Amino acid sequence: MTPLDMPMKHGDAGDGASIGQRLSRHDGKLKITGSADYALERQFEHAAYAVLVPATIGAGRVVSVDTAAALAAGAILVLTPEDDLGLAQATTFTGQRPEGAFLPLPHEIRFDGQSVALVVAESLEAATEAARRIKVTYEAAPVTASLVQTPEDAGTVGEQFNVAWGDAQAAYADAPVKIEADYHTPREYHAAMEPHGLIAKWDGDRLTVWQPSQWVHAMARNYSDWFGIPMEDVRVVSPYVGGGFGSKGFNYGWEALVPAAARRLGRPVKLALSRPQNFNLYGGRASTRQTLKLGATKDGMLQSILLTGASETSTYGVWPEQVGAATPLMYGTPNYRGQQRIVQVNTVTPGALRGPGKAPSAFGIESAMDELAYAVGVDPLEIRLRNQPDHDRMSNKPWSTRRLREALTEGAAAFGWDKRPMAPRSMRDGHQLIGWGVATGTFPVIRNYGEAEIRVTAEGRVEVVSGATDIGQGTYTVLAQTAADAFGVPVDEVSVRLGDSSLPGSPVAGGSKLAGVMTGAVHKAATAAREELIGLALTHPDSPFHGIEANTLELKGGRLTPPRADAPNVTVAELLRAIGRDGLTVRRDTLPEDMQSPEERKRAWTTMTTAQGPTVGDYSQHSWCAHFAEVRVDEDFGTVRVSRIVSAFDCGLLYNPKLVESQWQGGIIMGIGMALFEEGLVDARNGRVVNNNLGDYLVPTNADVPEIQVISVGIPDTNASLLGGKGVGEVGIVGVAPAIANAVFHATGKRVRDLPITLEKLI
C-alpha cells in the first residue's frame, strides 16, 4: 500500500455525519513520519542533476556564453540561448495559445537572476561547480529596479480595474470631513519550505514529470504544448506540496529546460532551485502604492471614496496586484471611484500570493477608516458598523450571505473591545505601550467544475480518486468526509488518491475554491455509486435481496439493510461476492451538459476560463472576516510584538472546523509577517533582490506568534457551493496587517502607512 492509497485514520469517526466533524488530517501522520511522497524526493537510477545559471545584470542582452570550462569540469550537457530546443508556445491560463516558438533561454535579459543557461552533470555538486564556471558576456541596458523608482503617473491605466458609481469627486469636495493618505506595501515572497523544481523522465515519446504543483492538469497541458505531444502522453505527479501559497499553480519557462535536457540525454534529469532562485525565478506579491480620499459627514458616515493606485509588473508580462480588490466591497458609500495603473519594472513577473489584491487593498481602506474614526471621534469598531453596505454596489446584487456585522460584534465581545480607551498612548504596562486595533477583510467565492471517481473495492472499502491536489489545506480529509457521508460508510473506510494528471479533472488549488468544487464532484460521484450499488442489490439474480419486493435499501455503516427487519442484512463486501463482482467504479463531474465535449472538458481542467466569479448568478458571494489585534511596543526601542489576536469569520459551512481553524490561523500568521517583517529589498542599481534567503527575508517564527483565537459566525451558503461552504484559505490574511497597524497607532500615536512596521518608523 502506497501513501496515496492509505486509508483515513480518525479513531471513532461516525457514520453519515463526517462533514462538520473536527477530524485530524489524513496526511498528518505521513508527513510527521517522513512517509509522505514529495515529488522532488523521488530517486531514479542514472538520474542527472541540473543547475540554472542566473543573469548578473538587470536588463540588456546575452552576447555570448562560454561553456568550455564547465564542460571541462564535468558538465555532460549545457543549454544556452544558442540552443534551438524546438519548443512551441503553451496555452495560457486564460485559454490563449500564442503563435511562434518558445524560448526559455532568450538572449534578452529582463531581470537580474533570469536564467541564461542550464548545466547538467552526474551529481548536484558537479553541476553546481560547472555552472559556476560558465562565462557570460552581456550588453547591459538601463534598469528600472522597482516601483519606488517610478513617478506617480508611470505605467498604464488598467481599464478593467476602473470602478465607479455616483460622483465621487464632487461628493468628496462637498464632504465636511476629509481624509487623504498614501499607503505602500513592498514586495513579498512565498518563502515556502519546499523549493520549486522538477524531475523529468521520458519513456519513448511519453513524458512523466514529478513536481510540486497546485494544478497538475494545467501543467500537463503546458508540457504537451511545449513539446508538441498529446496531453495523454504527459503525466504530472504531485501527491503532496510543501508550501505553495499561489506560487505552484502555473508553469515557469525554465521548467521546460529539464524535459528538454532529459530527452537529449535519454535519462531522468532533476532540478531543484536554490533558495535565492526561489526569490528570483518566480514572482511574489508585487509592490503597491495607493492614495485614498475619504469624504464623510461629521458623524463618520461615508459620502465618497476615491482610490488611485499602482502596482508593479515585469517588462514582459502583466500581473496586477489589484489595490482596489476589496475597497469597494467593504463599506456603503453613495459615491465611489477607483483607478489603478500597471507599472513595468525590471523584475520577474509577479504572481499570486495568499489573498492576492485583497491583502494590500484592505491595508489601504482599513487604515484609512481608522484615520477617519479618529478624525470624527468615533470608535473604530462603531464607524465600521455604521457604514456596512446593504448590498453590493458594484454588481447591484444582494449579498448571498454577509455576516460581517456579526463577525465584528462577536469578535469584539471575545476580545474585550468595550474596555478600549479611545486615546492613543493611553494603555501601558511599564515601558510597553499597549494598543488595540481592528480591521476587516474579504475574499470572493470563486466557483468552477470538478470531476471525481469513486471506486468500491471487493473488501467494501471506498476510494476517492481525482487529480485535485492537497497543498496543505486538507483536500484528502474533506473529500474522504464527503464520500463517507454520501456513500454511507464510516470515514475510516475511505481512502483518497490525489495529485496526478492521469486522474479525473480538477481546477487549480487556489482562490479558495477547491474544497467547494471538489466536495460537490465527490458528493455527486459517491451518491451515484451508492445508487448503482443499491440497484445491483435489488435487481441482480444472485443478490441476497433479489425478490424481497423492496424498492429501496438503506446503506449505512457499510451495510445494506431493507425496510423489513426480517430481511437480509449484509455488508457491501458480502454483496459484491454474492453477485460475482470484484468492485464498482463510478465517475461523475459537475460540468453542465453543453460542456461535455473533449475540448470543453480539457478547457475546464486546464484553463481558468470556466471559473465563475462572485457575482455570477443572483447574488454577490464572498467570505468575510474581522480581526482584533493587541500589540506591545517598547517605548524606548520601538520594537513591536503582537501579543493577542481574535478573529471572527463568515465562511459558510465548515467542512472540518479543525482544518479550517488551522487555515485561518496560518493566514493570520502570514498577516503578521506582512505587517511587521516581510519586505523584498531591491538593489536600485540592478534590480537584484538583496535579501533572497530565509536568513535575511524575515517571516514570523514561533516566538513571534501570539495566542490566536478564531471564531466562526458563518451559516451554510448553498449559493456558494453544493454543501454550503465558502472559501477559507485566502481570507485569513486579509485585514490582519491594518489591524496591527491600527493597534500600533493606538499604542504610540504614530501612523505607519508604509509596510512593514519597523522600529525606525516608530522612533
Side-chain angles (χ1 to χ4, degrees), residues 99-119:
E99 296 181 355
F102 171 58
L103 304 175
L105 293 172
H107 283 84
E108 181 183 3
I109 300 299
R110 295 124 164 188
F111 60 92
D112 186 277
Q114 176 183 320
S115 300
V116 295
L118 180 83
V119 177

Side-chain angles (χ1 to χ4, degrees), residues 18 25 47 85 95 156 216 262 271 305 335 346 350 361 382 433 442 460 466 541 583 602 611 622 647 663 681 694 763:
S18 297
R25 296 166 62 100
L85 301 178
T156 57
V216 293
L271 168 70
I305 298 177
N335 303 284
N346 291 110
S361 177
E382 174 60 28
L433 301 173
T442 186
S466 176
K602 184 177 182 180
H622 305 262
S647 299
Q663 284 290 295
L681 301 174
L694 294 183
I763 294 178

Side-chain angles (χ1 to χ4, degrees), residues 680-740:
L681 301 174
V682 180
D683 191 323
R685 300 168 299 176
N686 51 30
R688 182 172 303 155
V689 181
V690 177
N691 56 338
N692 57 0
N693 58 80
L694 294 183
D696 296 321
Y697 182 80
L698 304 181
V699 296
T701 66
N702 286 344
D704 302 306
V705 177
E707 174 189 352
I708 299 174
Q709 180 183 356
V710 290
I711 301 166
S712 173
V713 300
I715 57 175
D717 186 344
T718 53
N719 294 306
S721 66
L722 178 68
L723 301 185
K726 300 191 288 187
V728 304
E730 312 258 12
V731 71
I733 190 176
V734 183
V736 176
I740 293 171

Side-chain angles (χ1 to χ4, degrees), residues 54-385:
T56 56
I57 62 172
R61 290 186 59 79
V62 173
V63 175
S64 64
V65 180
D66 184 349
T67 64
L71 293 169
I76 58 176
L77 177 67
V78 179
L79 299 178
T80 76
E82 301 303 322
D83 286 281
D84 181 4
L85 301 178
L87 304 180
Q89 294 283 350
T91 303
T92 67
F93 70 89
T94 56
Q96 287 83 39
R97 179 79 186 274
E99 296 181 355
F102 171 58
L103 304 175
L105 293 172
H107 283 84
E108 181 183 3
I109 300 299
R110 295 124 164 188
F111 60 92
D112 186 277
Q114 176 183 320
S115 300
V116 295
L118 180 83
V119 177
V120 185
E122 297 290 348
S123 67
L124 176 60
E125 294 78 10
T128 301
E129 175 59 22
R132 190 183 66 82
R133 299 189 183 201
I134 293 287
K135 306 296 183 185
V136 184
T137 302
Y138 301 100
E139 181 182 289
V143 172
T144 301
S146 65
L147 184 67
V148 297
Q149 292 184 332
T150 64
E152 293 294 322
D153 60 352
T156 57
V157 174
E159 296 294 338
Q160 69 272 37
F161 306 124
N162 288 349
V163 176
W165 63 81
D167 189 340
Q169 189 64 53
Y172 178 77
D174 294 340
V177 179
K178 297 181 177 67
I179 297 293
E180 179 178 356
D182 300 326
Y183 304 94
H184 171 259
T185 62
R187 291 185 195 173
E188 300 168 44
Y189 293 94
H190 301 86
M193 289 295 290
E194 179 192 34
H196 282 242
L198 63 155
I199 303 170
K201 181 177 181 291
W202 291 86
D203 295 291
D205 292 330
R206 298 179 65 86
L207 171 65
T208 303
V209 177
W210 292 265
Q211 108 180 72
S213 171
Q214 296 177 231
W215 196 5
V216 293
H217 295 92
M219 288 187 172
R221 178 171 185 162
N222 277 348
Y223 290 115
S224 165
D225 289 347
W226 280 337
F227 290 93
I229 58 178
M231 187 173 164
E232 295 73 22
D233 290 341
V234 180
R235 183 183 176 205
V236 176
V237 183
S238 180
Y240 299 99
V241 179
F245 314 115
S247 70
K248 293 173 181 172
F250 311 102
N251 278 115
Y252 304 100
W254 46 266
E255 291 171 338
L257 297 169
V258 181
R263 186 162 61 176
R264 286 201 180 185
L265 293 171
R267 57 194 289 194
V269 174
K270 176 179 179 178
L271 168 70
L273 295 190
S274 68
R275 186 55 62 181
Q277 288 171 337
N278 276 272
F279 286 80
N280 297 335
L281 283 180
Y282 55 90
R285 196 190 309 280
S287 177
T288 73
R289 61 184 177 222
Q290 55 182 304
T291 298
L292 273 165
K293 298 180 180 179
L294 307 186
T297 62
K298 292 181 179 180
D299 59 356
M301 297 300 297
L302 284 168
Q303 301 300 301
S304 176
I305 298 177
L306 288 159
L307 166 67
T308 56
S311 67
E312 63 185 5
T313 191
S314 71
T315 61
Y316 62 96
V318 176
W319 184 281
E321 188 73 18
Q322 301 172 38
V323 294
T327 316
L329 295 168
M330 303 311 299
Y331 299 103
T333 176
N335 303 284
Y336 182 92
R337 189 186 74 192
Q339 184 184 78
Q340 177 169 347
R341 306 182 75 87
I342 311 299
V343 184
Q344 291 187 330
V345 302
N346 291 110
T347 179
V348 66
T349 302
L353 199 165
R354 199 173 198 162
K358 290 75 181 173
S361 177
F363 175 63
I365 186 61
E366 290 300 302
S367 297
M369 285 297 290
D370 205 67
E371 299 199 45
L372 177 62
Y374 277 91
V376 297
V378 174
D379 181 89
L381 171 64
E382 174 60 28
I383 206 166
R384 287 169 169 80
L385 292 171

Side-chain angles (χ1 to χ4, degrees), residues 329 389-393 395-404 406 442-447 613-624 650-653 713-727:
L329 295 168
D390 58 2
H391 71 285
D392 179 356
R393 288 183 176 267
S395 64
N396 283 321
K397 292 182 178 180
W399 308 113
S400 182
T401 51
R402 178 185 168 114
R403 293 178 58 82
L404 184 52
E406 289 80 1
T442 186
F443 198 85
V445 170
I446 304 173
R447 290 163 295 169
T615 57
V616 172
D618 297 330
Y619 299 95
S620 181
Q621 303 161 57
H622 305 262
S623 294
W624 308 96
D650 167 20
C651 295
L653 173 71
V713 300
I715 57 175
D717 186 344
T718 53
N719 294 306
S721 66
L722 178 68
L723 301 185
K726 300 191 288 187

